Structure formats: C-alpha cells, structure tokens
Amino acid sequence: MEKTKLCVIGDPIEHSLSPVIHNTILEMLGLPYEYGRMQVRAEDTETFLRQAVTEGYGGFNATMPHKTNLVKLADELDYDAQLCQSVNTVVIRGGKICGCNTDGKGFLRMLQDHGFSPEKKTITVLGAGGAARAIVLKLAQAGAARIFVCNRTLAKAETLAREAPAQISACAFDGQTLSDCAMFSDLLVNTTPLGMEKINAQFTELGFLNLLGKHAPVCDVVYQPVETAFLRYAREYGHQTINGLGMLVHQAIFALEEFTETKIDPAAVVPEIMSALKKAMQE
Ligand code: NAP
C-alpha cells in the first residue's frame, strides 16, 4: 500500500528528532504513513506548503523559523494555534490546510507524567519567545494562580502578560528578580535556549535556584543535551528535574493523532520512543 507522506520542516533541520519519534509510532501501530525531514528556508514557507498540498502530503510539523509564518497561511487554526499565534502542526485534508499547535498540550502532559498539577500554583517561566507563549498560556488555562515571565527583553514579557493579566506578570531577567520570583514558586521552567548544544551561551549565574523551595521541580525545555548545566545544578541542589524530551515526545503524539485521526495511548508507545531516541542521540 502506498504510504501518505508526512515530514518536519525547519532551518536548520538535520538534527531534528521528530522523524525518530513519528516513525517509531507509525511502525508500532502499523499506520500507512512515512515521515521525513525537509530543510525549508524562512522565505519558502508558502512555496513548501503549496508543494505539500500538490504532492498529497497528509501534513507536516514545523519548527524554527516557520511557526509564525504558518498562522497567516492556514485556512483555519485550531484553538491552541489561535491562542498562541503559532503553528507547529499542519494537517492537510481534502486540500484544506489546518494549522494546529501541540506544544502547550505536550508540555502539560509532560508535567502530568511527573505528577505536577499547575492548578493554583505559582510558576516562574524564563523566556518569552514562541515556546514560552505556548507554555505560559496553557499553564494559565490550566488554572495556575500566578506566572512570573522573566525575559531579557521586558517588552516581550509584557505583551505575553497582557493575554491574562490576572495570572501573568512580566518580570526582568536579572539575578535579583529571578531570585525574588524563584522564592515564591512551585515550579521553575527554562524556555530560553541557554545551555542548548550548538548555542554558545549559558546562564551566567544560577544562584537564584538556591532560593527556590525544595518541593519545586525544575524544568528545561531544552533536550540536547539531556541534562543542561541548569538542570544539573538544580539536581545537585536537591530538586526534581524534568528535561524537554517529554514535551517533545508528547507534542509529537498529539500531532500524529491529528495527522492520522487515530487515538494513541502514550503509555503504549513512550517506552519504545525513549529507547529509539536514546539510540539516535548516541549516534
Ligand atoms: P524564541 O522564540 O527565539 O525565544 C527565545 C527566548 O529566549 C526569548 O525570550 C529570548 O529573549 C530568550 N533568550 C535567547 N537568548 C538569550 C540569552 N542569551 N539570554 C537570555 N535570554 C535569551 O525560541 P523558542 O522557539 O521559544 O525556543 C526556545 C527553546 O525552546 C529552544 O532551545 C528550543 O529548542 C526549545 N523548544 C523545545 C521544545 C520541546 O518540545 N522540548 C519545543 C519548542 C522549543 P529575548 O526576547 O530577549 O530575545
């Protein structure tokens, strides 16, 4: 049987782990799809989209730098894509293009896997870019009492805070402010690329983590390396730590459910995905 094409687009894209995750699930469930990766430059988002429709793609995932461009190009947006003004999953059905966002849902399910409920909690989020927007707005929707968004460019945190001013506060990214926010938090999340492989920048100081209560988990959405310097420091200081692999895997499962219109039980596929990822990351 001919397989329907799916892929991930981005620039750069050669190190994307999405094909490993999607193809592991497709194989396990015997679904007639194949998933590849495509290098697509920012200025070529629309060209690729038209080509995908013509070539009969079932859809594709999008990473940097396409997530915002796709908002304007989709025929319709799902609730989360509308909320975040960002598309990481494009479903093509009957020639119609639906833009979805599964990042925030993936993040919430990862927290759930670690036994953390955001309801009535105080949470500090570092960064106010695309990943932060998806995470912060879903945390607010899930009933977080207060979310401190600490960002280098304060204006970007202020824009995000305006989406739910009763819950979200914009804060600066200096040591004193980070310490003040950490002191009151039940969860601390890094959404900046600091510590990421191939990005030549690290946190200059992590002393603010000492102010965080010992009950509070520390999460980094970065997953390469699996343990960033930020997470290592938090672990050595006694915190439960959560890396970005769980979010990556769950956003992919949600996306594949959209592409294939199939309900996927995460418990049935996650162990195999994790071992496939471990192997791929060692290569
Ligand atoms: P983005 O939209 O470019 O946002 C980056 C954010 O980090 C901005 O708030 C930026 O601050 C801040 N930042 C960048 N460099 C900084 C520095 N040197 N010091 C302080 N702050 C800095 O990127 P994104 O799409 O949100 O992605 C961010 C990270 O999340 C990436 O590492 C990406 O791989 C990861 N991610 C993981 C998943 C997952 O599934 N695990 C999903 C999505 C993204 P300014 O506003 O001041 O520029």
Side-chain angles (χ1 to χ4, degrees), residues 122-269:
T122 296
I123 298 168
T124 294
V125 174
L126 312 181
R133 191 174 170 86
I135 288 169
V136 167
L137 295 179
K138 291 305 276 185
L139 285 171
Q141 208 184 46
R146 168 92 11 228
I147 307 165
F148 300 119
V149 177
C150 303
N151 198 46
R152 183 176 61 176
T153 309
L154 186 61
K156 262 164 85 177
E158 286 169 344
T159 302
L160 185 47
R162 277 196 287 276
E163 299 285 341
Q167 290 163 285
I168 308 171
S169 304
C171 304
F173 194 79
D174 59 80
Q176 185 59 53
T177 310
L178 294 179
S179 297
D180 291 345
C181 294
M183 200 183 310
F184 296 104
S185 292
D186 303 300
L187 170 71
L188 198 141
V189 186
N190 174 45
T191 76
T192 76
L194 290 171
M196 191 178 160
E197 260 167 32
K198 300 184 180 65
I199 297 264
N200 212 3
Q202 288 282 354
F203 283 92
T204 45
E205 65 100 20
L206 290 166
F208 62 90
L209 285 171
N210 304 352
L211 276 295
L212 187 68
K214 281 288 179 341
H215 71 289
V218 175
C219 173
D220 198 334
V221 301
V222 172
Y223 50 84
Q224 280 173 317
V226 174
E227 187 177 61
T228 55
F230 170 77
L231 280 193
R232 187 171 60 248
Y233 188 96
R235 176 174 57 76
E236 286 169 356
Y237 207 70
H239 292 281
Q240 177 193 4
T241 58
I242 305 171
N243 68 31
L245 274 179
M247 175 180 174
L248 181 76
V249 168
H250 285 304
Q251 63 78 28
I253 294 173
F254 280 119
L256 204 52
E257 288 188 328
E258 298 287 347
F259 295 141
T260 64
E261 296 180 279
T262 305
K263 188 94 196 96
I264 299 169
D265 173 12
V269 294

Side-chain angles (χ1 to χ4, degrees), residues 23 27 33 65 67 71 73 77 81-82 90 109 129 145 147 174 184 190 193 238 244 264 279 281:
N23 286 321
E27 229 168 84
Y33 294 81
K67 289 183 176 185
V71 172
L73 297 171
L77 297 175
Q82 183 76 47
V90 172
R109 193 185 266 172
I147 307 165
D174 59 80
F184 296 104
N190 174 45
I264 299 169
K279 205 166 142 221
M281 289 167 90

